[in-house]
């Protein structure tokens, strides 16, 4: 069976980071005046004190990452009080269940369109525009991302208009503060093997990039293909390719193009062996994501004879 060392795993992240940094310096934003959205600080919603030191990275983030929060279960309460409740709920979950020092995300966006500060000091540091608070919402990439939890589960339903409008405003403000080009607005699944931010919301990320670009006054370059997310039950050419790569890596799986139990077990074993993080946001509570094959697994199994961009383009080709 294949042995995956830590250096191989980290190199996948370093490559993504370097590409993001290059895109920022060559594309950038046009310096358009961007409205400052209303963001309610931790003191407004009664946040618990952090149980550890809030780490402030002495650099700007490379990516803005979109999540869906999944819990608490969404409803039609679009009030500010509900937004505060959601913020408390998520913080309690992250601290009491995950064992984190505070909320994992820097900001939270409610279904009513109210934005709250998540992790302490995130709003203060964002306003400075030169540093960012390290969160705990994207495994192995928290030093380079700033994350937004969006209240609700968006695997099969769309986001409410109020949430969408506030998401555009918040992302545009963050992008303006840090000089992040719209191409570097990502979904959680672009880094970890997770459904997050839900297929419906993920499919709207190109629209989000365009809307943010319009606010910033910049043209949006088409984003490169990302690693596809494969799940148990999926079928087709990408599954068959993944199975062949797994076989080449020493796993006894069929190459029938059907993501069955043996393929799931092989991916799960590889993920554990590589030390890949799991359950890095509340999205994992929507379904068992064990054995999902996504952005952090593909680099461990694809052959080294082609570039990351080439493999991504090939595997997303229909």
């Amino acid at each position: 069976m294949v042995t995956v060392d830590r250096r191989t795993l980290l190199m996948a992240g370093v490559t993504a980071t370097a590409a993001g940094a290059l895109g920022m310096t060559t594309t950038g934003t046009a310096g358009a005046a961007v409205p400052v959205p209303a963001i309610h600080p931790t003191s407004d919603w009664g946040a618990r004190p952090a149980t550890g030191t809030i780490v402030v990275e002495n650099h700007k983030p490379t990516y803005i990452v979109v999540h869906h929060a999944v819990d608490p279960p969404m409803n039609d309460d679009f009030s500010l009080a509900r937004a505060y409740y959601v913020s408390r709920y998520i913080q309690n979950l992250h601290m009491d269940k995950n064992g984190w020092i505070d909320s994992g995300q820097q900001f939270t966006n409610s279904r009513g369109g109210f934005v709250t500060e998540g992790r302490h000091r995130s709003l203060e540091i964002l306003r400075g525009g030169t540093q960012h608070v390290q969160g705990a919402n994207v495994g192995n990439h928290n030093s380079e991302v700033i994350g937004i939890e969006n209240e609700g589960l968006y695997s099969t339903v769309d986001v409410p208009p109020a949430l969408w409008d506030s998401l555009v405003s918040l992302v545009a403000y963050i992008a303006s503060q840090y000089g992040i080009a719209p191409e570097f607005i990502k979904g959680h699944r672009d880094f970890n093997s997770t459904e997050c931010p839900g297929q419906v919301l993920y499919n709207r990320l190109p629209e989000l990039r365009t809307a943010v670009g319009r606010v910033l006054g910049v043209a949006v370059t088409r984003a490169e293909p990302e690693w596809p997310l494969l799940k148990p039950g999926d079928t087709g050419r990408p599954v068959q390719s993944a199975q062949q790569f797994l076989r080449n890596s020493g796993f006894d799986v069929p190459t029938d193009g059907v993501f069955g139990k043996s393929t799931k077990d092989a991916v799960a074993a590889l993920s554990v062996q590589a030390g890949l993080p799991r359950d890095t946001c509340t999205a994992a509570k929507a379904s068992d994501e064990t054995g999902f094959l996504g952005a952090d697994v593909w680099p461990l199994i694809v052959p080294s004879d082609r570039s990351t961009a080439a493999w991504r383009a090939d595997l997303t080709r229909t």
Side-chain angles (χ1 to χ4, degrees), residues 1-220:
M1 184 174 290
V2 62
T3 299
V4 181
D5 60 23
R6 193 67 176 169
R7 181 176 181 276
T8 300
L9 178 63
L10 291 177
M11 281 303 294
V14 169
T15 300
T17 303
L22 178 62
M24 281 174 31
T25 56
T26 56
T27 307
T29 59
V34 174
V36 179
I39 302 176
H40 300 272
T42 53
S43 58
D44 281 4
W45 55 269
R48 296 159 57 180
T51 58
T53 302
I54 299 296
V55 175
V56 178
E57 299 283 355
N58 195 29
H59 58 84
K60 301 176 182 182
T62 302
Y63 304 100
I64 302 170
V65 179
V66 176
H67 301 265
H68 64 173
V70 178
D71 270 336
M74 59 186 178
N75 59 26
D76 291 332
D77 183 349
F78 299 135
S79 68
L80 178 59
R82 168 70 180 184
Y84 289 171
Y85 168 77
V86 169
S87 297
R88 290 191 297 270
Y89 189 104
I90 292 174
Q91 186 190 40
N92 288 337
L93 181 67
H94 286 179
M95 295 178 72
D96 299 336
K97 182 177 184 295
N98 294 4
W100 298 343
I101 65 167
D102 198 354
S103 300
Q105 78 287 357
Q106 286 86 352
F107 297 98
T108 308
N109 185 28
S110 79
R111 287 171 57 80
F114 296 104
V115 176
T116 58
E117 180 183 30
R119 180 157 292 204
H120 286 79
R121 299 196 66 195
S122 295
L123 180 55
E124 166 206 344
I125 300 302
L126 169 62
R127 286 170 173 163
T130 60
Q131 301 171 304
H132 76 104
V133 165
Q134 183 189 107
N137 57 90
V138 178
N140 287 333
H141 293 274
N142 285 302
S143 65
E144 57 181 337
V145 306
I146 184 166
I148 303 166
E149 290 272 17
N150 292 278
E151 177 196 3
L153 172 62
Y154 298 109
S155 299
T156 59
V157 300
D158 205 353
V159 300
L163 183 148
W164 177 260
D165 291 343
S166 57
L167 180 61
V168 172
S169 298
L170 175 60
V171 172
Y173 177 63
I174 294 172
S176 175
Q177 287 296 98
Y178 289 130
I180 298 175
E183 294 76 38
F184 297 97
I185 301 167
K186 302 289 186 179
H188 185 184
R189 71 168 62 179
D190 293 328
F191 300 91
N192 301 137
S193 296
T194 175
E195 165 74 13
C196 185
Q199 191 63 52
V200 176
L201 181 51
Y202 186 78
N203 287 346
R204 294 191 68 180
L205 291 187
E207 182 185 351
L208 178 62
R209 296 182 188 112
T210 298
V212 168
R214 189 176 300 116
V215 175
L216 297 174
V218 299
V220 180

Side-chain angles (χ1 to χ4, degrees), residues 248-266:
N248 293 345
S249 298
F251 292 95
D252 185 16
V253 297
T255 55
D256 56 1
V258 178
F259 201 129
K261 184 179 185 301
S262 61
T263 302
K264 173 185 176 180
D265 291 345

